[in-house]
Amino acid sequence: MRDVLVLVVGTTDVSLIPGISIAGPSPEATHYTPALDAEYLLLGRTRTLGVVPTTPDGIPTPAVITRALTAGVPKVVVDAGSRVPPRVPRVALGGVPGGDIRRGAMPRAAAEELAANARLLGSQLAPLGRLVLGESMPGGTTTAMAILIALGYDAWGRTSSAAPRNPKALKEAVVREAVSRISPPLDAISAAAEVGDPVHLALAAIALGAAESGGEVALAGGTQMAAAAALYRAMGGDAGRLRILTTRWIVEDPESDLLGLAREVGVGAVEHSRTSFAGSRMEGLRAFERGYVKEGVAMGYALIRAEGMGLDALGIVEGELEGLLGRARPARRSPGSGRRRADSRTSAPDTPRGPQSASAPQSDGWVARRSGHGSRRAARRGAMDRRSAEHPRRAPERSPHRWTAR
Amino acid sequence: MRDVLVLVVGTTDVSLIPGISIAGPSPEATHYTPALDAEYLLLGRTRTLGVVPTTPDGIPTPAVITRALTAGVPKVVVDAGSRVPPRVPRVALGGVPGGDIRRGAMPRAAAEELAANARLLGSQLAPLGRLVLGESMPGGTTTAMAILIALGYDAWGRTSSAAPRNPKALKEAVVREAVSRISPPLDAISAAAEVGDPVHLALAAIALGAAESGGEVALAGGTQMAAAAALYRAMGGDAGRLRILTTRWIVEDPESDLLGLAREVGVGAVEHSRTSFAGSRMEGLRAFERGYVKEGVAMGYALIRAEGMGLDALGIVEGELEGLLGRARPARRSPGSGRRRADSRTSAPDTPRGPQSASAPQSDGWVARRSGHGSRRAARRGAMDRRSAEHPRRAPERSPHRWTAR
C-alpha cells in the first residue's frame, strides 16, 4: 500500500514565550517555521522568506532530511491554523492559530469545526494509501504536555525538546498555569480548546476519520504524537490501531519518555529509526547525535522508510545538505572558509548582515546569502529558529536558529 | 487506475450581473452555490446554509447526481478563490475571488500565485490516480467565452447555459465590454487576470502540473472545459493529452458548441454520457431533457462512470433525490400535496416563509423546511440559485433556483 505523507502545520502562541522554543532573532520568528517547513518539503526551497533551512552552524531543519528521503512519496500539507500560512497548496480546515494556553487555546466552536473537517479529511484520504501524519509547530512539546495532563495522564516533564537540555522547568510552569484553569480529565475538544492547539487536534481527528474508514494510519513524530494519540483515543478511537514512527534520538532521549507515554495511551506500536549521523563528514549532521533537533516534519518516518529500502540514508541527506549549502554559496566568502567546506558556509559569524525588512524577522547578525533561485520575496531576509536547538559555540540567547538568512 | 475527483470551486462577480446567471432571490446568492455544491458533494448535506439542493420544482443541483453516482470515488475540494469558502476540507491555492471582468478579474500577482500553486497541486495529486477535474462557479460560461476570445478563439455565443434559452445577447455584451480593454491573443495568465476568473485558471494549471508529472487528466464539464483546455495549451500543455467528459445534454445543445471549441483547442477527445432522464418518475429529473442544468460538478463524468459500470444511473439518482426530498418533508405539508409525491414537496409556492437572516440570502417566498439533521447555522435560511435554470411554470424573474430554503 502506498504511503501518503500528510504534514499538519499550525502555530501556538506558546512559542512566543521567551525560552520555550528559545526563539530566534525574535519570538515572532517561530511563527514562520511551519510555513517554511511546508514549503521546503514540497518545493526544496522556501517562498515566504528567503532563508536557508539550516542553523548558522549548518544544522538542517528536519524538513531537509524528510524531503531528501521521501522522493516519490505523495505529500499533502494541512493547515490546522497558522499565523503565517504556507505559500504552497494547503488544505484549510477552518481552524484558527492557537493562543497562549495560559489564557485558552481557541474558541470551542473553532475546535469543533476543525475536528469535524479534519475527521472528514481523514476519511477522504484513507482510500489513497497509508496516511503518515507529521507535524511542524514550534512550542508543540509544551502544548503536548498540557493536552496529556488535561486528558488525565501524568505527563509532567515527559515531553521532549529539540534542545540537548530540555527547558523543563519553564515548560512545566507554563503548563501548570494553563491547567490551573481546568479540572482534568477533560474531553478531547475541551482539552484542545483550553490548553492545546490546532495541530494536535487535527492530527487526532484526521487519524480518527481515516481509521473509521478502514484506513491505516501512522503518527510520525516525537512525544507530540503521544498527545495526538491521546486525543484520538478520547474521541473514541482505538489507539491500538495507531503506530508511532519516530527517531532513535527520541527513544534514546533521557529527558523525555515517548515509550512510556505511548504505552499509557495504548498506542499499538512505536517504531524508531536506527541511522546514526555520528560518522557524518558534516558537523551540522553530527550535532543530531548530541541531542539537537531529534524529530519534526516526520523525519523519523523518512529515516525508517529509507532504512527499509536499504538506502544510504546518511549519504542521501549529506547530498541534499551539500546541495543546499552549495546553492547558498555564491554571494560572499566568509573569512572562516579554511574550515570544513560545507559547514563553514553557514557558520561564519562575521559576514555582513543581510538587508532587513519591517515585515519579516530581522536577520540579527546571521549570515545573509543569496541562493541560486530568488523567491518573489527575496528582499525579505531573516533568520528563523525553532525547537530551541542551542548553538554549540555561542551563548544560548544568541544561538538557536533553525533557518538562516541568506 | 483509480479516479480522484477534484472539484474546483470559486466565484466571479460576473454572476452578480442581473440576468447572467438569472440570479435567484438576490444576485449575491449565486456566491453561495460553490460552497453548497462542495459541501453536498462531500457530506450529502450543506453546512453553510440550511437549504435543500433542489429548485422549488425539484430540479436537483448537479452535485446531487454526482454524489449519487460516485460513492467510493475519493474527492478533493479545491478553493481557487471564493467569496464564501466551503465549510469542508478545502485546498487553498492563494487565489482570490474573481472580479467583474468588465473591470478586470484579479491582480496579475494573484493569478501567478494561483497558477503556481495549482500546478504544484497537480503534480502532487498525479501519482494518486487519474485526476477528474470538475467545477462549480456561477457565471462560468460567460468568463469561459471571454477567456477563449482573449486567447484568440472565435468563441462568440458558443458557450452554454444552464437555462433552456441561453441569454447570449447579455453574455456577449458583457464579454464585449470586457475584451474591449485588451488586444487578443493574450498569454494565459493575462487572459485569466484580465477577463477570466480563478476557477478556469486553476483547472488549467492543475491539469498542466499533473500532465507534466506523467499523470492522466480528464476535464469534467461543459463548455467551460474548452476554456480551461485553451488556458492549459496557452501555458504550454499538450491539449491532445486532455479528455473532456461531459453530458449528452451539452453535446446535443443547439445553443452552444463544445465539440467545435474542443476541436479548435486541440483537445484529445470529448466523451459524453448517454443516460436519458425522459422516463423518470420525477418531474425535477425530466426537466433535464428540456434543457435545464446540463452540466456542473462533474455530472457528466459521474453519468459516464455509472454507465460504464452497468449501473442504473437514473434509478440511483431517483433514489438519492427521493431520500433528499423525504428528509426535507416533516415540517409542513403543502396544499398541493395531491400532486406527484416527491415533487410536490419542493414546488409548493404557498407555504410560509422561513426565518430570514441578514447575513444570508433571503428566502424570498420559497418553501422553507427543516431537514432531518440540522446544521449549526440552520437558523440561516435562504433560497439559492445558479446557472439560470428557469422555472418551468413561472415567470423567468421568479424562477431560477437551484437551492431551496428548507
Side-chain angles (χ1 to χ4, degrees):
Chain A
M1 189 179 207
R2 170 202 300 284
D3 287 346
V4 177
L5 178 53
V6 180
L7 178 66
V8 181
V9 302
T11 54
T12 167
D13 288 350
V14 166
S15 73
L16 303 180
I17 301 169
I20 280 279
S21 183
I22 313 186
S26 73
E28 290 70 28
T30 59
H31 279 174
Y32 285 77
T33 294
L36 298 171
D37 278 343
E39 290 164 8
Y40 190 85
L41 182 67
L42 293 194
L43 300 170
R45 60 192 171 84
T46 59
R47 300 174 88 187
T48 292
L49 293 173
V51 291
V52 178
T54 65
T55 70
D57 280 292
I59 303 177
T61 172
V64 172
I65 291 161
T66 303
R67 179 176 168 85
L69 299 176
T70 57
V73 176
K75 298 175 184 82
V76 176
V77 170
V78 174
D79 184 359
S82 298
R83 291 210 188 275
V84 180
R87 292 182 63 201
V88 288
R90 62 191 175 90
V91 182
L93 296 176
V96 297
D100 183 331
I101 62 174
R102 293 173 299 185
R103 293 183 293 273
M106 64 189 110
R108 193 180 170 89
E112 284 172 347
E113 173 107 11
L114 173 61
N117 275 330
R119 195 165 172 175
L120 176 57
L121 179 66
S123 72
Q124 288 174 262
L125 295 177
L128 300 176
R130 178 177 76 148
L131 301 191
V132 178
L133 308 183
E135 58 73 39
S136 175
M137 182 180 62
T141 55
T142 302
T143 56
M145 192 193 303
I147 288 167
L148 285 162
I149 290 164
L151 294 174
Y153 299 88
D154 175 8
W156 293 104
R158 296 169 73 192
T159 60
S160 61
S161 166
R165 276 172 297 126
N166 190 335
K168 285 188 187 185
L170 173 60
K171 289 158 71 167
E172 290 182 25
V174 170
V175 172
R176 196 169 301 112
E177 189 174 339
V179 301
S180 70
R181 291 182 290 108
I182 62 170
S183 300
L186 302 185
D187 65 278
I189 296 289
S190 298
E194 291 289 343
V195 301
D197 60 76
V199 168
H200 282 100
L201 182 58
L203 289 164
I206 294 169
L208 185 64
E212 287 170 340
S213 300
E216 198 183 332
V217 187
L219 299 174
T223 49
Q224 289 110 310
M225 293 306 170
L231 286 170
Y232 162 99
R233 177 175 167 176
M235 288 191 283
D238 171 9
R241 289 191 53 170
L242 295 180
R243 171 179 295 263
I244 291 179
L245 307 179
T246 192
T247 64
R248 182 173 60 75
W249 304 302
I250 286 287
V251 296
E252 293 181 353
D253 176 23
E255 304 230 29
S256 64
D257 183 20
L258 173 61
L259 297 179
L261 290 169
R263 195 181 317 113
E264 290 167 32
V265 174
V267 171
V270 177
E271 195 177 339
H272 65 84
S273 64
R274 287 157 206 287
T275 301
S276 170
F277 287 176
S280 176
R281 61 180 184 269
M282 303 180 80
E283 166 61 25
L285 294 177
R286 291 200 301 275
F288 282 64
E289 299 298 330
R290 297 198 306 277
Y292 291 93
V293 189
K294 296 191 187 76
E295 245 298 1
V297 196
M299 177 171 68
Y301 156 71
L303 287 163
I304 291 168
R305 176 176 181 273
E307 293 161 8
M309 295 170 71
L311 301 175
D312 170 18
L314 176 56
I316 294 168
V317 170
E318 287 176 331
E320 172 102 0
L321 191 51
E322 282 180 334
L324 255 178
L325 301 176
R327 268 193 270 159
R329 172 183 351 183
R332 303 180 183 88
R333 308 233 31 154
S334 82
S337 55
R339 280 183 290 165
R340 184 181 301 276
R341 206 185 68 111
D343 193 24
S344 71
R345 279 192 191 90
T346 47
S347 60
D350 43 5
T351 41
R353 293 187 182 205
Q356 297 183 342
S357 136
S359 61
Q362 301 302 304
S363 76
D364 199 22
W366 299 119
V367 184
R369 288 192 185 79
R370 293 187 180 280
S371 88
H373 42 239
S375 96
R376 223 187 312 165
R377 301 197 186 169
R380 293 190 187 180
R381 314 234 174 256
M384 300 303 303
D385 170 44
R386 167 169 172 187
R387 289 170 197 246
S388 45
E390 290 171 40
H391 188 297
R393 289 190 293 269
R394 294 187 185 189
E397 70 274 17
R398 296 287 298 161
S399 55
H401 291 266
R402 194 160 119 181
W403 296 84
T404 304
R406 65 177 182 218
Chain B
M1 188 180 208
R2 170 200 301 284
D3 287 345
V4 177
L5 178 53
V6 180
L7 178 66
V8 181
V9 302
T11 55
T12 166
D13 287 351
V14 167
S15 74
L16 303 181
I17 300 170
I20 279 279
S21 183
I22 313 186
S26 72
E28 289 70 28
T30 58
H31 279 175
Y32 285 77
T33 294
L36 297 172
D37 277 343
E39 291 164 8
Y40 191 84
L41 182 67
L42 292 193
L43 300 170
R45 60 191 169 85
T46 58
R47 300 173 88 188
T48 291
L49 293 174
V51 291
V52 178
T54 64
T55 70
D57 279 292
I59 302 176
T61 171
V64 172
I65 291 161
T66 304
R67 178 175 169 86
L69 298 176
T70 58
V73 176
K75 298 175 184 82
V76 176
V77 169
V78 174
D79 184 0
S82 298
R83 291 211 187 273
V84 180
R87 293 181 64 201
V88 288
R90 62 190 175 91
V91 182
L93 296 176
V96 297
D100 184 331
I101 61 174
R102 293 173 300 185
R103 294 183 292 274
M106 65 189 109
R108 192 180 171 89
E112 284 171 347
E113 173 106 11
L114 173 61
N117 276 330
R119 195 165 171 174
L120 176 56
L121 179 65
S123 71
Q124 287 175 263
L125 295 177
L128 300 177
R130 177 177 77 149
L131 301 191
V132 178
L133 308 183
E135 58 73 38
S136 174
M137 183 181 61
T141 55
T142 303
T143 55
M145 193 194 302
I147 288 167
L148 284 162
I149 290 164
L151 294 173
Y153 299 89
D154 175 9
W156 292 104
R158 296 170 73 193
T159 60
S160 61
S161 166
R165 276 173 297 127
N166 191 336
K168 285 187 186 185
L170 173 60
K171 288 157 72 166
E172 289 182 28
V174 169
V175 172
R176 196 169 301 114
E177 189 174 339
V179 300
S180 70
R181 292 182 289 108
I182 62 171
S183 300
L186 302 185
D187 66 277
I189 295 289
S190 299
E194 292 289 345
V195 302
D197 59 77
V199 168
H200 282 100
L201 182 59
L203 289 165
I206 293 169
L208 184 64
E212 286 169 342
S213 300
E216 197 183 332
V217 187
L219 299 174
T223 49
Q224 290 109 310
M225 293 305 170
L231 286 169
Y232 163 99
R233 177 175 167 176
M235 289 190 283
D238 172 9
R241 288 191 54 171
L242 295 180
R243 171 179 294 265
I244 291 178
L245 307 179
T246 192
T247 64
R248 184 173 59 75
W249 304 302
I250 286 286
V251 296
E252 293 182 354
D253 175 23
E255 304 230 30
S256 66
D257 182 22
L258 173 61
L259 296 179
L261 290 169
R263 195 180 317 114
E264 290 166 33
V265 173
V267 170
V270 178
E271 195 177 339
H272 65 84
S273 64
R274 288 159 206 286
T275 300
S276 168
F277 286 177
S280 176
R281 61 180 183 269
M282 303 179 80
E283 165 62 25
L285 295 176
R286 290 200 302 276
F288 282 64
E289 299 298 330
R290 297 199 306 277
Y292 290 93
V293 189
K294 295 192 188 75
E295 245 297 2
V297 196
M299 177 170 68
Y301 156 72
L303 288 163
I304 292 167
R305 177 176 182 273
E307 293 161 8
M309 294 169 74
L311 301 176
D312 170 17
L314 177 56
I316 294 169
V317 170
E318 286 176 331
E320 173 101 0
L321 191 52
E322 282 180 333
L324 255 178
L325 301 176
R327 269 192 270 157
R329 172 182 354 182
R332 302 180 183 90
R333 309 239 23 162
S334 81
S337 55
R339 280 183 290 164
R340 185 181 300 278
R341 206 185 70 110
D343 194 24
S344 71
R345 279 192 193 89
T346 48
S347 61
D350 42 4
T351 42
R353 293 186 182 209
Q356 296 183 343
S357 134
S359 60
Q362 302 303 303
S363 75
D364 199 23
W366 299 118
V367 184
R369 288 192 185 80
R370 293 186 179 283
S371 87
H373 41 239
S375 97
R376 224 187 312 166
R377 301 198 184 168
R380 293 192 187 177
R381 313 233 175 256
M384 300 302 304
D385 169 44
R386 167 169 174 186
R387 290 170 197 241
S388 45
E390 290 171 39
H391 190 298
R393 289 189 293 269
R394 294 186 187 190
E397 69 272 18
R398 297 287 298 162
S399 57
H401 290 266
R402 194 159 120 182
W403 296 85
T404 303
R406 64 178 181 217

